Amino acid sequence: MDLVIGCRTLENELNTAIKACGKSCDIRWIDAGLHNVRERLNGALQALLDDSGGYERVLMATGFCGNAVAGLRTGPAPVIFPRVDDCTSFLFGGCKRRQNFRDAYFLTEGWLKGEKNIWAEYQYSLQKYGERRTSRIFQAMFAHYRRIVLLDTGCYPIGPSLAQARRIAETFSLECEVIPVDISYLERLLKGPWREEAFLTVRPDTVITAKDLTVAG
C-alpha cells in the first residue's frame, strides 16, 4: 500500500482524485499554514517520512514549496514528488500555464478553510495593530498583485468560496476572477507511471538536494 502526504490546501481535490482512481492508500495531511515558515514545513514533512515504514512508496501531493523539501531524508520507501513549485501549479497541470498569472493571488476552498489563510491573518493584524498599520502592511503585501483568483476545480460548491474571495478582493482593492482548473496531475501522481519529466523519484534513505528540484513545464 502507498502512503500519500497531502497539503490541506488540496484536500477536496486529493480526496476526489483518490475516489476517481479507486486508489487504496493511507493519507497524512499537513496544514496549509506551515508554508508560512519554511523550517516548520520541512520539519513536519521529515517527521512524516521518518514514520513511513511499511509502505511500498510515498506519494507527495504537494509542491516543492519554495524548496522547503530540500534537505529532507527519505525513509525506507521511495518517495515520488510532482515536479511543481507549489500546490497551485498542481491544479494547472504544471508550471507553464500558471506563469500566465504572475499578478494573481490564488485561493481554493481548502486554503480558505485554513487557520492561517490571508483573511484570518488580516483579521488578526487588525486586532493587534489597528486599521492604519494593517492597511500599510497589506498594501505592501499585495503590491505586486492585481487580482484574487479563485481556482474552480469542480471538487467543491464554489458559491461560498466565491463570496469570500470577492470580499477579500474588495478589501484589498483587487479584481476577482474564477479560473477553471483540474485534478489530472493529481490523478497521474496516484496512478503512475511516474515519468522523469513530470515526477521526481527519490530512493530510500536519500537526502534531497536543491539541485534535484527542477520543475516540469
Side-chain angles (χ1 to χ4, degrees), residues 15-206:
N15 283 331
T16 300
I18 289 172
K19 184 177 180 180
C21 294
K23 180 76 172 179
S24 177
C25 60
D26 287 339
I27 308 175
R28 303 287 184 271
W29 296 103
I30 54 173
D31 291 333
L34 290 173
H35 290 74
N36 296 338
V37 183
R38 180 187 182 279
E39 292 76 14
R40 290 183 60 202
L41 177 57
N42 184 278
L45 291 172
Q46 186 62 67
L48 291 173
L49 292 178
D50 290 344
D51 194 34
S52 63
Y55 291 99
E56 183 177 355
R57 65 182 65 86
V58 179
L59 304 176
M60 301 293 295
T62 67
F64 293 151
C65 304
N67 284 6
V69 302
L72 292 176
R73 179 181 288 276
T74 58
V79 179
I80 299 174
F81 291 87
R83 290 190 179 277
V84 293
D85 50 356
D86 64 19
C87 297
T88 301
S89 295
F90 231 148
L91 301 176
F92 281 104
C95 299
K96 185 175 182 180
R97 183 186 172 201
R98 186 178 180 273
Q99 291 176 355
N100 297 323
F101 299 90
R102 295 182 184 275
D103 62 351
Y105 188 97
F106 295 107
L107 301 175
T108 65
E109 185 188 60
W111 180 250
L112 288 168
K113 285 182 175 179
E115 293 182 0
K116 297 293 184 179
N117 69 61
I118 191 63
W119 189 249
E121 291 294 312
Y122 176 70
Q123 298 300 322
Y124 173 79
S125 184
L126 282 175
Q127 294 179 10
K128 185 173 183 179
Y129 302 118
E131 186 172 352
R132 181 175 296 181
R133 185 175 177 186
T134 294
S135 178
R136 291 199 301 268
I137 292 171
F138 280 80
Q139 282 178 4
M141 185 181 300
F142 282 98
H144 301 291
Y145 295 106
R146 183 177 63 83
R147 49 186 169 164
I148 295 290
V149 172
L150 179 64
L151 299 178
D152 183 6
T153 63
C155 299
Y156 60 91
I158 199 170
S161 295
L162 179 56
Q164 192 169 357
R166 285 171 172 164
R167 184 180 183 186
I168 293 170
E170 182 179 1
T171 299
F172 302 136
S173 300
L174 301 171
E175 299 175 13
C176 182
E177 297 180 24
V178 177
I179 300 293
V181 290
D182 63 58
I183 59 173
S184 58
Y185 207 154
L186 275 170
E187 292 176 339
R188 290 163 61 197
L189 172 69
L190 295 171
K191 295 187 298 185
W194 300 282
R195 296 187 174 90
E196 177 67 18
E197 66 271 16
F199 297 96
L200 169 66
T201 301
V202 186
R203 293 176 297 177
D205 195 27
T206 300

